[in-house]
Amino acid sequence: MIDEALEHLVKGIVDNPEEVVISEKEGRRGTTLEVRVHPEDIGKVIGRNGRTAKALRTVVSALAGRSVRVDLIEADEAR
Amino acid sequence: MSEEKSTVARLEEEGDIAADYLEGLLDIADLDGDIEIGVENDRASLVIEGGELAHLVGRDGEVLDAIQELTRLAVQTSTGERSRLMLDIDGFRADKKSSLTKLAEDTAEEVKASGKPIKLAPMNAFERKIVHDTIQKIGLTSESEGEDPDRCVVVMPA
């Protein structure tokens, strides 16, 4: 549900929603959600002073009922 | 007149886009909530009433502010125009507004009686606006001082 919610939130605020890809990773420090977006959209999802990134983390953590890491990545970065 | 109409139409369109975005979120999270769309003070206004949405408000409205921010961006992405829409969930902002109005009225009384300015606790932009508006209605003046997140309102004698 959390990954789906994050996908919805991100797709609504980017110019290239079809290129949004979410992957979930379980690590020692809990869940991390990786969000890949079109390089032109990375500024939008981070926002001025990281404001949008912070808003995404706040909402996702609230829905999950625990702290969830959200990493925002440009889609063409090496994997 | 026609210009005014087009503003209302634009704000209603904002409300519709925002409601779609929010409805999608509620559906995915499997949360029940009715979304009411309106226009208030030249802004689109969205109110979600559900009853079990406290976690979407968060401590001091932190989560509510984040959802509002994202919803504004969703509208902007769709229309190309910045949005100043206001979102409320289960009356959080409405309650906040009445308690801040009361605070402003009480402070105005004190300032009138003493003739000395009073500095209030730090508030966000939404809260400061409620205080400024109330003080102005009463006929006193007020200013904001300092930088966010420590910016606060100073109420001054007329």
Side-chain angles (χ1 to χ4, degrees):
Chain A
M1 179 277 271
I2 295 304
D3 52 338
E4 233 185 297
L6 181 60
E7 184 176 359
H8 173 74
L9 290 171
V10 173
K11 280 188 168 175
I13 62 169
V14 296
D15 293 324
N16 305 279
E18 69 288 351
E19 292 195 29
V20 174
V21 179
I22 312 276
S23 47
E24 190 171 341
K25 290 187 174 167
E26 290 297 336
R28 272 182 308 160
R29 285 182 299 165
T31 309
T32 300
L33 292 173
E34 280 186 357
V35 184
R36 283 172 208 280
V37 298
H38 189 280
E40 280 169 15
D41 286 325
I42 191 76
K44 286 199 101 171
V45 293
I46 292 172
R48 196 191 300 166
N49 298 325
R51 204 179 144 128
T52 309
K54 184 166 177 252
L56 288 168
R57 290 185 183 111
T58 300
V59 177
V60 165
S61 294
L63 288 172
R66 66 197 146 87
S67 180
V68 176
R69 273 186 60 122
V70 176
D71 288 346
L72 304 165
I73 303 165
E74 284 184 37
D76 64 351
E77 266 180 30
R79 303 202 173 182
Chain B
M1 212 49 207
S2 67
E3 200 176 310
E4 198 174 310
K5 250 186 200 166
S6 74
T7 305
V8 171
R10 186 174 56 76
L11 292 174
E12 280 171 351
E13 190 201 345
E14 264 193 36
D16 287 340
I17 297 163
D20 282 347
Y21 187 67
L22 293 167
E23 225 156 54
L25 182 64
L26 292 177
D27 279 352
I28 292 165
D30 201 17
L31 294 168
D32 285 326
D34 291 325
I35 304 177
E36 206 175 289
I37 312 169
V39 173
E40 210 179 305
N41 299 323
D42 298 327
R43 298 177 189 220
S45 136
L46 290 109
V47 177
I48 309 178
E49 296 284 351
E52 288 187 30
L53 301 173
H55 62 303
L56 295 189
V57 174
R59 199 198 313 152
D60 212 17
E62 180 194 37
V63 181
L64 172 60
D65 285 340
I67 298 174
Q68 175 177 284
E69 173 81 18
L70 294 172
T71 308
R72 285 178 173 180
L73 290 172
V75 170
Q76 187 180 344
T77 301
S78 170
T79 65
E81 305 268 340
R82 277 189 70 168
S83 166
R84 297 160 65 230
L85 72 86
M86 294 300 295
L87 172 67
D88 199 358
I89 297 177
D90 282 344
F92 176 82
R93 288 200 205 283
D95 292 348
K96 190 110 196 169
K97 190 172 176 179
S98 57
S99 68
L100 284 168
T101 303
K102 174 87 169 59
L103 171 72
E105 287 165 354
D106 292 349
T107 308
E109 282 309 310
E110 247 183 274
V111 170
K112 268 188 198 167
S114 71
K116 286 179 189 152
I118 291 178
K119 188 174 174 175
L120 298 172
M123 292 174 191
N124 66 33
F126 165 76
E127 296 164 340
R128 292 196 306 270
K129 181 163 183 354
I130 294 165
V131 175
H132 286 308
D133 288 351
T134 308
I135 296 297
Q136 197 187 12
K137 260 184 220 153
I138 293 170
L140 297 186
T141 54
S142 55
E143 278 175 7
S144 290
E145 226 181 61
E147 296 295 321
D148 277 323
D150 298 318
R151 200 161 165 77
C152 37
V153 176
V154 182
V155 181
M156 284 165 308

